[in-house]
Amino acid sequence: MRTIVITGAASGIGLACVRVLAAQGHRVISVDLRKADVDGDLSVPEGRRAVLSRIEDVSGRRIDAVVACAGLSTGDPADIIAVNFFGATELISGLRPMLAQAKAPRALAISSEALILSGDADVVDACLAADEPSARAAAGRAAPGAVYPASKLALSRWVKREAVKSEWAGAGILLNAIAPGVVRTPMTASLLGSAEGLATLNETTPMRLGKPAEPEELALLVRFLAGPENSFILGQTIFCDGGAEATLRPEQV
Ligand code: NAD
């Protein structure tokens, strides 16, 4: 039995991960705004600190994996950056000392296929400089459609940059990301429910299999990447997107 921390665990992909991992007999420590083992707000530094401290208490300082799934795609642009980038990276980093004690530690961030769209460069740069106030300000100035892609591009670049360092790879912690395409969750419900929304989705995230993924389909990949079966994938963003990335940038490998 492994102990696995999952954020965004009250809904969508995170909830599917809880179900799939718990069904395998693992102990899940769920994190979300409410209705979780650890309730807390990952959009603010003090909320992240409180969540980390609660996870230490609840876990007895023993965890094997973390899956940072909490995310936002609409609302205040500054909050999108705060949750999607700083909420994920600070939580994963904050758990690193505990992960380093585990036998087969794994860390996973849920990024997005949207990272290949035109994300705002100032937002990406400020995120990667770990400058949250500047990133929040840049998000406020950016074109609305450029904020979510920027948060996910920065997240996947952070994963690649960090994963190979001695603190992660050198400590045997395999850090990766998953980039889902369209997944049927509360996040996409209104888009999937209207002809106009579907047209937008098919432009930014073409569904070559003619349908969105169910959250469980992502959870199975999470189970593999967060488990000891993944013993050599490191620093990667794995696209699980029904062909969207292959459609939009066929020449890039
Ligand atoms: P969802 O809206 O169903 O679930 C997101 C969860 O994150 C919610 O339970 C929410 O309460 C939690 N959350 C939001 N802000 C938070 C905060 N400040 N503190 C703590 N928790 C917070 O969405 P989903 O579709 O399951 O998305 C999960 C992840 O997958 C997100 O990171 C999203 O960007 C990513 N993603 C989703 C899709 C998709 O099509 N659904 C595609 C690509 C990537």
Side-chain angles (χ1 to χ4, degrees), residues 20-86:
V20 164
L21 290 163
Q24 267 214 320
H26 298 300
R27 179 186 180 208
V28 171
I29 298 176
S30 59
V31 179
D32 210 302
L33 286 168
R34 55 195 78 84
K35 295 188 190 162
D37 298 320
V38 175
D39 289 352
D41 183 356
L42 295 170
S43 71
V44 288
E46 58 275 22
R48 294 169 209 142
R49 281 196 291 275
V51 164
L52 283 167
S53 155
R54 279 288 295 146
I55 293 172
E56 281 194 20
D57 293 346
V58 171
S59 68
R61 291 194 60 79
R62 293 175 68 88
I63 63 164
D64 298 282
V66 54
V67 183
C69 200
L72 289 176
S73 58
T74 55
D76 182 343
D79 286 345
I80 293 176
I81 294 302
V83 177
N84 294 8
F85 183 81
F86 292 98

Side-chain angles (χ1 to χ4, degrees), residues 149 178 180 190 195:
I178 292 176
S190 65

Side-chain angles (χ1 to χ4, degrees), residues 37-240:
D37 298 320
V38 175
D39 289 352
D41 183 356
L42 295 170
S43 71
V44 288
E46 58 275 22
R48 294 169 209 142
R49 281 196 291 275
V51 164
L52 283 167
S53 155
R54 279 288 295 146
I55 293 172
E56 281 194 20
D57 293 346
V58 171
S59 68
R61 291 194 60 79
R62 293 175 68 88
I63 63 164
D64 298 282
V66 54
V67 183
C69 200
L72 289 176
S73 58
T74 55
D76 182 343
D79 286 345
I80 293 176
I81 294 302
V83 177
N84 294 8
F85 183 81
F86 292 98
T89 57
E90 287 187 10
L91 192 90
I92 291 173
S93 297
L95 295 176
R96 198 194 59 76
M98 280 191 262
L99 288 168
Q101 308 298 317
K103 255 201 197 126
R106 306 286 180 262
L108 202 53
I110 306 302
S111 181
S112 172
E113 174 271 351
L115 73 88
I116 72 170
L117 306 175
S118 304
D120 184 87
D122 290 346
V123 172
V124 174
D125 288 348
C127 286
L128 290 170
D131 183 347
E132 188 166 1
S134 295
R136 291 183 69 98
R141 293 191 301 270
V147 175
Y148 181 77
S151 72
K152 298 298 190 177
L153 176 60
L155 182 58
S156 282
R157 282 178 55 187
W158 180 85
V159 164
K160 193 166 209 167
R161 186 179 82 179
E162 290 298 307
V164 295
K165 291 184 178 172
S166 59
E167 299 94 303
W168 297 95
I173 309 170
L174 276 62
L175 169 62
N176 289 288
I178 292 176
V182 182
V183 188
R184 196 190 307 277
T185 71
M187 186 179 276
T188 53
S190 65
L191 286 168
L192 286 169
S194 75
E196 204 179 288
L198 258 179
T200 307
L201 281 177
N202 267 314
E203 226 170 78
T204 57
T205 318
M207 289 179 264
R208 282 293 179 250
L209 296 170
K211 58 182 178 53
E214 298 303 325
E216 291 70 23
E217 297 179 83
L218 274 300
L220 294 175
L221 180 57
V222 167
R223 184 176 75 184
F224 172 74
L225 289 171
E229 295 82 4
N230 170 32
S231 56
F232 219 57
I233 299 174
L234 186 147
Q236 295 301 310
T237 290
I238 310 291
F239 284 81
C240 181

